[in-house]
Amino acid sequence: MSTLDIRIDHDVIASWVAEGARVLDLGCGDGELLRYLKDKRGASGYGVEIDVERVIAGMKNGVNVLQIDLEEGLYDFEDQSFDLVIISNALQTLHRTEKLLCEMLRVGREAVVSFPNFAYWKHRVAIMDGHMPVSDRLPFQWYDTPNVRFFTVADFEALCDKLGISVRERLVLDDAGKPVTEEHNFLGSFALYRLG
Amino acid sequence: MANDFPRSTGSVGVVAPLSARFDTPLTLKSGAVLPGFELMYETYGTLNGARSNAVLVCPALSGHHHAAGVHADAPDNTGWWDNLIGPGKPLDTSKFFVVSINNLGGCHGSTGPVSANPDTGRPWGADFPVVTVEDWMAAQALLADRLGVDSWAAIIGGSLGGMQAMAWAIHLPARVRHAIVVASAPKLTAQNIAFNEVARQAIITDPDFHGGHFYEHGTLPRRGLRLARMLGHITYQSDDLMAEKFGRRLREGGRKFSFEVEFEVESYLRYQGDKFAASFDANTYLLATRALDYFDPAGDAGGDLAAAFAPVTADFLLVSFSTDWRFAPARSREIVDALMRNRRNVSYAEIESSAGHDSFLLDDPHYHAVLRAYFDNITV
């Protein structure tokens, strides 16, 4: 994601975090979001990250980072022990999507998920041209992408429906970071959901 | 990428061991009373005016006070954690005042089995009382008082040293702000106690042990101590590392169809065993392994580790190593879990390393980068 995208992502998530909330950030990267939520919202909690160099970056950022593989699930974490469990731009890099979504709402009272929309029109054009899409939101070649699950806004909502997860809020953004008001699955390249 | 992390070769230079004498009786967990005792320690760096930059380094099984630098009379005898402690190193002595200690019952100058029992004038030997991790902590706290350290900025230890850091955080929470627990466990498993028991039996059944009073017989239970160390060494390393270091390589001459040293790994183990047997006290080894066995804060709190950790206020860093099967990553995760249940600040790194339990003494770039990042964020 570009710096702008990261800022928008973090701002939207911060607006969904109550003052002083206890949060768990899955795939927390260098801990920027947690740091931001700590500074902006007085939030506390932990980040989970698998990559050791990002774990080190998170520690440098002064946040609690736990080096745990999310494919294991969240067995370390107690039921309803967080106000909010966040997975920002990382769900598509994990195999056990269904399990993780359920686990997030077992551990947290609410969940926030953000992800790139594979059905964005420019991505569709790329496929029409015979190539896997590469864009700001999908900045990887097919042979070096960390993404292992390829899904769309429509797919994600269908899965939430199947799992009985209700969508409390949704924000779909276009390439410029502007909210999309219609044809979300076609015009939006990035989506954020507040679930509960 | 790993090579991008800063490294420093800065040394604390020549250091002199110090000793502190305590004449107040210390009641141990067993109920036994030590009438008085002496502790050997070293310090590196300078205690600041606010006395807020002190870090306690707790030794592991065979560790002692000489953790960094060299002694003037032994310029080759570098401290056991010198790769960590020094100016510009992860535990930076230009920021922190580091105190390293030889625990009670040790054999490097602190009161222990080789010291004279005041009642008899002869070495304590096997009569030295069994000491626990909590007893060590109590003695360390007296030294902290003596040094004017009300609260440690951090307490760090690997393995058995990590248990001491946990003991402080649980029993003297107001006196420790950060606990850094490396390659440790909230208690030993049955398998782990079993290894300790084999080591102890090797020592106790050595005819030169004389029930622990070998000093009076002018002997040393070298065979027992050597076997204990050889066994320990196997468990501190990983299968992969031994395969990499020695494989099935034979020393010169190939197979002799004998039971002499033929494989490289045999030669290595015997060397390590001999070296240790010549420099370490058998009774101290028994005491230290027992301290490991007994450490069980959850057991003292009805089996609930989270309840045991309830008094903790310190922030924690836990580090484990992927191939450490003696203090496996899962054991560190139990500690992380107990801390999270108490909503404490905790970070956890699981370092990929082929070196097994011994990894905590090495300077793997990621491992040291984790420690550096953590120490750098400690405000003093």
Side-chain angles (χ1 to χ4, degrees):
Chain A
M1 290 205 295
S2 71
T3 323
L4 174 73
D5 288 339
I6 292 169
R7 208 179 65 220
I8 294 167
D9 181 68
H10 291 188
D11 275 339
V12 171
I13 294 173
S15 75
W16 289 345
V17 173
E19 197 65 35
R22 198 170 145 75
V23 299
L24 179 65
D25 183 10
L26 306 178
C28 69
D30 60 9
E32 276 297 335
L33 175 60
L34 262 183
R35 172 90 248 167
Y36 188 71
L37 296 178
K38 199 171 152 183
D39 293 346
K40 265 256 168 25
R41 315 294 291 167
S44 65
Y46 311 92
V48 175
E49 179 55 58
I50 182 75
D51 179 83
V52 69
E53 302 199 350
R54 290 190 213 125
V55 169
I56 293 163
M59 286 180 187
K60 283 185 181 164
N61 251 327
V63 296
N64 296 317
V65 194
L66 308 173
Q67 193 178 2
I68 293 175
D69 183 359
L70 287 172
E71 298 287 8
E72 293 173 6
L74 300 176
Y75 71 85
D76 288 281
F77 302 92
E78 279 184 295
D79 291 0
Q80 301 295 295
S81 52
F82 292 91
D83 296 314
L84 193 62
V85 181
I86 301 164
I87 187 160
S88 159
N89 201 31
L91 188 65
Q92 72 276 12
T93 66
L94 294 159
H95 283 102
R96 305 175 75 183
T97 320
E98 261 185 278
K99 181 179 177 179
L100 192 63
L101 278 175
C102 296
E103 281 279 273
M104 286 173 75
L105 284 163
R106 173 183 68 78
V107 167
R109 291 194 289 104
E110 286 185 13
V112 165
V113 180
S114 71
F115 60 88
N117 180 23
F118 282 76
Y120 176 51
W121 71 268
K122 285 187 185 171
H123 299 156
R124 298 187 194 201
V125 169
I127 296 277
M128 295 277 281
D129 278 350
H131 292 284
M132 287 300 282
V134 177
S135 68
D136 282 353
R137 261 67 190 254
L138 292 174
F140 305 102
Q141 293 292 344
W142 64 273
Y143 50 80
D144 68 1
T145 179
N147 299 334
V148 297
R149 290 279 181 255
F150 307 92
F151 55 96
T152 69
V153 161
D155 291 332
F156 183 74
E157 289 180 11
L159 180 60
C160 287
D161 197 41
K162 180 194 152 198
L163 297 174
I165 295 172
S166 54
V167 173
R168 294 185 183 213
E169 277 184 81
R170 177 184 74 175
L171 186 65
V172 179
L173 305 170
D174 66 15
D175 254 358
K178 295 268 179 306
V180 172
T181 51
E182 52 178 14
E183 298 293 341
H184 299 93
N185 201 33
F186 188 75
L187 298 174
S189 61
F190 195 76
L192 298 105
Y193 286 83
R194 187 171 148 225
L195 311 168
Chain B
M1 271 296 276
N3 293 326
D4 297 345
F5 295 112
R7 306 288 281 274
S8 169
T9 51
S11 169
V12 296
V14 174
V15 295
L18 303 163
S19 84
R21 169 88 214 158
F22 300 90
D23 289 316
T24 38
L26 182 68
T27 303
L28 303 173
K29 206 171 174 181
S30 65
V33 179
L34 266 184
F37 61 94
E38 200 162 327
L39 287 180
M40 294 296 293
Y41 66 101
E42 289 183 2
T43 71
Y44 322 110
T46 311
L47 186 62
N48 64 11
R51 298 168 187 254
S52 63
N53 68 334
V55 174
L56 177 66
V57 174
C58 299
L61 186 63
S62 59
H64 44 71
H65 52 284
H66 184 39
V70 294
H71 293 159
D73 59 353
D76 295 329
N77 182 16
T78 307
W80 61 270
W81 222 351
D82 191 75
N83 61 23
L84 179 79
I85 306 162
K89 287 181 178 169
L91 179 42
D92 191 340
T93 49
S94 42
K95 173 180 179 183
F96 294 108
F97 171 65
V98 179
V99 179
S100 172
I101 196 166
N102 183 213
N103 277 320
L104 218 48
C107 55
H108 293 85
S110 292
T111 299
V114 284
S115 314
N117 178 345
D119 289 345
T120 63
R122 296 201 308 273
W124 282 93
D127 296 334
F128 194 85
V130 169
V131 283
T132 62
V133 168
E134 290 79 10
D135 295 330
W136 286 340
M137 175 203 73
Q140 290 161 1
L142 291 170
L143 179 65
D145 294 343
R146 183 76 57 89
L147 296 172
V149 175
D150 295 334
S151 148
W152 299 98
I155 300 182
I156 181 171
S159 193
L160 178 56
M163 292 176 171
Q164 294 157 57
M166 281 185 263
W168 272 89
I170 292 168
H171 299 289
L172 298 170
R175 302 197 67 177
V176 50
R177 303 202 298 281
H178 295 269
I180 300 165
V181 175
V182 184
S184 195
K187 61 173 181 255
L188 292 196
T189 58
Q191 187 195 47
N192 224 325
I193 294 170
F195 281 125
N196 284 345
E197 172 58 3
V198 175
R200 282 191 294 266
Q201 283 300 310
I203 291 168
I204 290 167
T205 58
D206 184 328
D208 285 332
F209 183 64
H210 295 291
H213 293 288
F214 49 89
Y215 318 99
E216 296 160 37
H217 292 79
T219 61
L220 289 174
R222 282 179 198 274
R223 281 165 291 181
L225 200 49
R226 179 173 178 255
L227 276 177
R229 189 57 168 180
M230 287 167 82
L231 172 72
H233 246 285
I234 299 167
T235 69
Y236 303 148
Q237 304 200 351
S238 69
D239 193 13
D240 285 355
L241 183 75
M242 282 196 148
E244 192 184 300
K245 260 164 102 169
F246 312 108
R248 293 183 47 84
R249 270 195 315 284
L250 293 162
R251 303 181 79 206
E252 74 285 355
R255 291 185 194 181
K256 298 188 190 114
F257 298 92
S258 77
F259 300 107
E260 295 306 305
V261 175
E262 294 189 8
F263 288 93
E264 288 285 0
V265 68
E266 295 174 313
S267 162
Y268 167 82
L269 282 178
R270 289 188 191 195
Y271 169 77
Q272 290 294 341
D274 287 338
K275 194 172 79 166
F276 191 71
S279 65
F280 207 81
D281 179 70
N283 283 311
T284 292
Y285 202 85
L286 299 182
L287 289 171
T289 55
R290 209 34 138 191
L292 267 168
D293 294 352
Y294 279 166
F295 183 72
D296 182 9
D300 298 339
D304 181 348
L305 190 63
F309 273 72
V312 169
T313 54
D315 293 352
F316 265 72
L317 170 65
L318 279 298
V319 181
S320 70
F321 300 94
S322 57
T323 54
D324 183 352
W325 54 279
R326 190 127 189 216
F327 290 83
R331 313 308 314 285
S332 287
R333 292 272 290 269
E334 291 172 28
I335 301 165
V336 172
D337 187 65
L339 287 161
M340 282 199 301
R341 280 168 200 266
N342 285 293
R343 305 195 161 199
R344 307 294 9 135
N345 284 320
V346 50
S347 283
Y348 168 65
E350 186 178 318
I351 304 295
E352 283 291 330
S353 164
S354 65
H357 186 55
D358 272 348
S359 301
F360 87 86
L361 294 166
L362 306 179
D363 63 349
D364 174 273
H366 286 137
Y367 167 41
H368 271 200
V370 163
L371 292 178
R372 184 185 290 279
Y374 195 85
F375 275 118
D376 282 354
N377 270 331
I378 295 178
T379 36
V380 296

